[in-house]
Amino acid sequence: MNEVSAVEPFSSETSVSPSSSLWAATAPAGPVLDRLVGRRTTDVAVVGAGYTGLSTALHLASAGIETVVIDRHEPGWGASGRNGGQVLPGLRPQRAELRRMFGTELGDRTHAAAETAADFLFDLVARHGIDCDLARAGSIRLAHTERALAMLREGCAAMAADGAPVRMLDADAVAREVGTRAYLGGRFDPRSGTLHPLRYARGLAAAALCQGATIHSRSPALTLAREGESWRVTSESGEILARHVVLATNAYTGLLWPRLHATLLPLNSFQIATAPLDAAQRATVLPGRACFSDTRRLILYAQRSADHRLVLGGRASFTIADRAADYDVLRRVLVGLFPQLADTPIEYRWVGRLALTRDFVPHLHVPAPGLLVAVGFNGKGVAMTTLMGKILSDHIRAPGEPVPFPITGMRAIPFHAFRQPALHLAMYYHTLMDRLGW
């Protein structure tokens, strides 16, 4: 019997409580959940109650498959309750690059599946009546240099050729739709939207419970071991025996499965939220409530919340620590982009963690019979994690059917043990490149 400990190579905590976020302050309470106590036998055990794990449980339970989810904290405690709330279709690599990576057939299947991710989420929210402040107002990718604008035009043409209803905006249109003159143009995608991340996570949990799934909070997975045809997952006061296990821990991945953590780079993304904007400010700052991100190497992103606050985020540093200086950076950036908000107070600030992969594509692994892993959503995971839950569910239910996503082997990131100093150097490099407009 092989047993693996969950001792972690980096802390699974962040120093900022989720209660300091706008989302935690404005979300209704989640379902009341018990700790895992005693021994449970089930069809599927899911480790991690973020979007991926909850979507997996929802789809399995809807198909009548007994499923138990455990989490160190509670549903949505991690990035699923702290992210920027942007519902975006697609992956970072476009179809031509996916073809180069996985071959024409699988690359096309992966691209086609990812392009449906936003619509899949919208349909799921409607089907289960999840109240998450969903707004389908589109997204804008903003160009900060002429070179970036040319790349956006090229990408827009490729997306339009594939049937995506995207279009370019000039600087005047960006000023009207976003409220800033800091960008030269942008690409508008009407398929996108925004939501309240923690409301959505708690709504997914409630929907999964309604379908018959079981969720245990305050129940960290400590060891994972193969026992005959089953898996045993132990926690502090209980254990689960399951035919299948899904690891959905993303940026909070530890050593529950050997070397998995070394395939990911965990990074913090910092966010701030203003006081509610007044009527004049709402008329100029994201008046249609489209969200945006820009083409900087250190990406900035924003949405206007349902209660009319500007929520701005970005990687102010590549540290795992939480520092006041990182929020000060965002405050200066906000005023630089939106001088009309110079006197608007910042009422919330918080941090969430994302996981990068070496190829900027989410990783789906099957490292042992009955064990599935889905991690590495590269900061673009709200929609894709939701769809990934359906992909994982389908693969468990029909393992012989083609999977619309590449199942890959685990490849460690070179020199992963030295990731923190390397990330600091990368931060300075990308900051310099942004300043030079490269």
Side-chain angles (χ1 to χ4, degrees), residues 6-50:
V7 175
E8 295 178 294
F10 47 84
S11 171
S12 68
E13 313 290 339
T14 62
S15 57
V16 173
S17 163
S19 62
S20 61
S21 78
L22 168 65
W23 311 130
T26 56
V32 177
L33 303 170
D34 297 324
R35 297 180 70 193
L36 174 66
V37 177
R39 188 178 181 121
R40 286 287 312 264
T41 301
T42 187
D43 292 323
V44 183
V46 178
V47 179

Side-chain angles (χ1 to χ4, degrees), residues 6 11 15 45 50 66 78 99 121 138-139 150 152 168 229 245 248 268 289 347 424 430:
S11 171
S15 57
E66 187 179 16
R99 282 179 163 184
L121 182 149
S139 65
L152 279 186
M168 291 299 296
E229 297 298 313
V245 171
N268 274 345
R289 290 196 59 197
E347 293 193 344
H424 282 302
H430 290 310

Side-chain angles (χ1 to χ4, degrees), residues 277-401:
L277 307 185
D278 62 32
Q281 292 168 330
R282 294 200 300 269
T284 62
V285 177
L286 299 176
R289 290 196 59 197
C291 59
F292 76 76
S293 62
D294 70 12
T295 51
R296 288 180 174 87
R297 290 166 180 258
L298 301 180
I299 296 171
L300 294 171
Y301 56 90
Q303 68 146 298
R304 209 176 87 190
S305 65
D307 58 351
H308 304 299
R309 303 170 187 269
L310 182 67
V311 181
L312 179 75
R315 285 191 281 281
S317 76
F318 276 173
T319 179
I320 291 297
D322 167 52
R323 308 176 308 179
D326 294 313
Y327 300 104
D328 293 339
V329 169
L330 286 181
R331 171 65 181 173
R332 291 195 298 272
V333 168
L334 182 145
V335 174
L337 293 178
F338 302 101
Q340 64 270 47
L341 303 185
D343 297 326
T344 303
I346 302 300
E347 293 193 344
Y348 298 94
R349 60 187 214 172
W350 69 98
V351 65
R353 190 175 295 177
L354 59 97
L356 298 182
T357 59
R358 61 190 296 171
D359 55 9
F360 298 107
V361 173
H363 287 178
L364 175 57
H365 306 304
V366 184
L371 177 63
L372 286 81
V373 179
V375 290
F377 292 90
N378 296 280
K380 196 178 178 183
V382 175
M384 194 62 218
T385 51
T386 303
L387 177 61
M388 185 62 76
K390 178 66 160 57
I391 292 171
L392 290 166
S393 170
D394 288 349
H395 188 55
I396 289 171
R397 293 169 55 207
E401 296 297 317

